Amino acid sequence: MGIIRDHPELALFLCLAVGYLLGKLRVGPITLGGICGTLIVSLLLGTRHVSVGDDVKTIFFAIFIFALGYMAGPQFFANLNRRGLRYGVLSFIELVTVLVIAYLIAQLFDLDIGTASGILAGAATESAVVGTATESIGKLSGLTPHQISEYQGHVATAYTVCYLFGLITIVLFTSQILPILMRINLADASRELWAKMRGDVPALESDEREALPSTVGRTYLVTHADGRTVGEIEEASGQRVTVERVKRGGKILTPDPGLRLTLSDLLLVVGRRGPTIEAGRHIGPETGSVPGLDSPLATRQISLTDKATTGKTVDQLQHDHPEFLRDGVYVTDVVRGDQDLPAAAETVLRRGDVLTLVGARSGLDKLTKKLGSVVKNSSADFIYIGFGIALGSLLGQVIVRIGDIPLSLGTGGGCLVSGLIFGWFRNRSQTFGAFPPQAASTLKDLGLAVFIACTGLDSGPQAWPLIKQYGALLPVAGILMVLIPACLSLFVGLKLLKLDKPLLIGAIAGQQCSTPAITAITQVSKSSVPLIGYTITYTLSNFLLPLTGPILVGVLGSR
């Protein structure tokens, strides 16, 4: 144990490794997850008085919260519209309800600030609240250094217990109980909604591909089309196919619309399967593969930067841009932030969404110029990221007093706000400030894991006495703070907002930012449809819930 005390870096990474290993253990649909596992291991190791410097904790929390805001920023601002705010009602219910319940529990049971904040963070299964609350406690006036250390330790301990019970509750409630309360079979309801959105096109699993792809290329020998131009061939199909290549003898010709075809020319025609086959009747017999004539279909990821695309469905986008149909280009994936959405006809698009387009290269070039820009995330722009975190830290130092209550965003809240703004601003053009999604996700997870490990190590000595003191209060509070806002959202979503039931179930998981819950929901539903509701509330709650830490600490600190 002496070597671990003398080398805190060893303790830190040991907590990460063993914690994430523990987090992989599964009981039915429930897994603890790496963050909760790390906190449990670090609390246990912390009882041996192993600690890491506070500066390490602060730096990694700033990295985590900025990356979180950066990833959520584009869709957070995009959801500030009528449809987004409609779902946002559920996030607001979550925000108000957990704050009120945490305050009432603190008053009824005379809890200290740290324990009340830990209950709030754990029951809401929002790890970021641990950081914002811990930081706010450190800035309270009138507390001794010993009290600050003790209360900050209580945050981590109460969070661990409440998180465990809150996690189990939200996963079981959304994936198992809600479908029963709604009197639906979630898989059937999701399939029906998908069919309605896609026009009865069946959904594919992640490891499946279409046996008969929608866009195809065929080669034809010119017989019937002798003397006709390339433009006439394309017009005869209603502009639903394109002639990509023309081979005459040993030469490859540019397929300009005015190029007149001659007998025995070879044509590569690309488009939707039906029109491409039909075009062959006007050109001549189909041939096998022709060397030098093949033009493979291209795949391209583009970010929607055209403001006119916001609020349109995939179907409307394809209707407004005939290049989709004419050039044989189709949307295969829609990514919003770090969430994959179904490329359904009625999936509503937002500025900043990343679309995967597949089709002929000429069609892709035309659509890219009209809709946005090619996603280029080969390396992170550390100039942009560094300034963003620095400005967020400065913003967090501002203190606003409402009466006798001092409120401050702290480094965590400040970096969250700056992350939202910097992420949104980058998303407007995608030409600067690159922060590749995989890199952002890795830094986000690493930053939170290191912060949680540091917090657990510091809090280890206070953990067991706090659990003995409050007994059943912590798990009961964790369960109630999940069920009460979820039930309120169920009533409001069904009776007032009239949301589709699979989308509402996903939105309730999203309002609590519960990735394990949406994972269990998609497993039960055998569909990604609930993700449509989840992404909106998840984005809004990711911003709102971390702010509850400073608010609760400020209110309780004024008592």
Side-chain angles (χ1 to χ4, degrees), residues 372-390:
S373 57
V374 177
V375 175
K376 294 181 179 179
N377 275 318
S378 57
S379 62
D381 186 345
F382 285 106
I383 299 173
Y384 192 72
I385 296 168
F387 274 120
I389 296 176

Side-chain angles (χ1 to χ4, degrees), residues 274-484:
T276 302
I277 294 174
E278 180 66 26
R281 298 178 183 178
H282 305 287
I283 299 172
E286 184 176 359
T287 69
S289 176
V290 179
L293 194 62
D294 186 27
S295 178
L297 298 180
T299 299
R300 185 174 299 172
Q301 284 190 320
I302 68 168
S303 174
L304 294 178
T305 57
D306 181 13
K307 288 188 278 188
T309 61
T310 296
K312 290 185 177 180
T313 64
V314 171
D315 186 57
Q316 291 171 334
L317 182 72
Q318 293 173 327
H319 181 269
D320 292 345
H321 296 277
E323 291 87 354
F324 278 103
L325 187 62
R326 184 180 66 235
D327 297 337
V329 178
Y330 62 102
V331 181
T332 60
D333 292 291
V334 179
V335 178
R336 182 169 299 161
D338 58 348
Q339 301 293 333
D340 290 306
L341 300 180
E346 294 193 9
T347 295
V348 177
L349 301 173
R350 296 283 177 265
R351 185 174 182 175
D353 285 353
V354 175
L355 305 186
T356 299
L357 305 182
V358 176
R361 195 175 300 279
S362 60
L364 292 179
D365 291 339
K366 296 173 188 175
L367 284 168
T368 300
K369 292 177 182 178
K370 287 189 173 184
L371 299 179
S373 57
V374 177
V375 175
K376 294 181 179 179
N377 275 318
S378 57
S379 62
D381 186 345
F382 285 106
I383 299 173
Y384 192 72
I385 296 168
F387 274 120
I389 296 176
L391 290 175
S393 181
L394 289 174
L395 178 62
Q397 309 312 309
V398 177
I399 298 176
V400 177
R401 290 187 175 274
I402 301 178
D404 295 329
I405 303 175
L407 294 178
S408 171
L409 290 175
T411 300
C415 287
L416 177 61
V417 173
S418 71
L420 286 169
I421 296 173
F422 273 59
W424 165 78
F425 196 66
R426 141 77 177 173
N427 200 67
R428 292 175 61 84
S429 65
Q430 302 272 5
T431 57
F432 61 91
F435 199 2
Q438 191 62 44
S441 180
T442 299
L443 281 181
K444 176 174 72 72
D445 293 342
L446 178 63
L448 179 59
V450 171
F451 167 78
I452 287 294
C454 294
T455 301
L457 290 171
D458 289 341
S459 308
Q462 294 93 23
W464 182 243
L466 183 71
I467 294 174
K468 287 198 301 182
Q469 180 180 355
Y470 292 111
L473 174 63
L474 298 182
V476 170
I479 294 171
L480 289 179
M481 287 181 68
V482 169
L483 291 181
I484 293 175

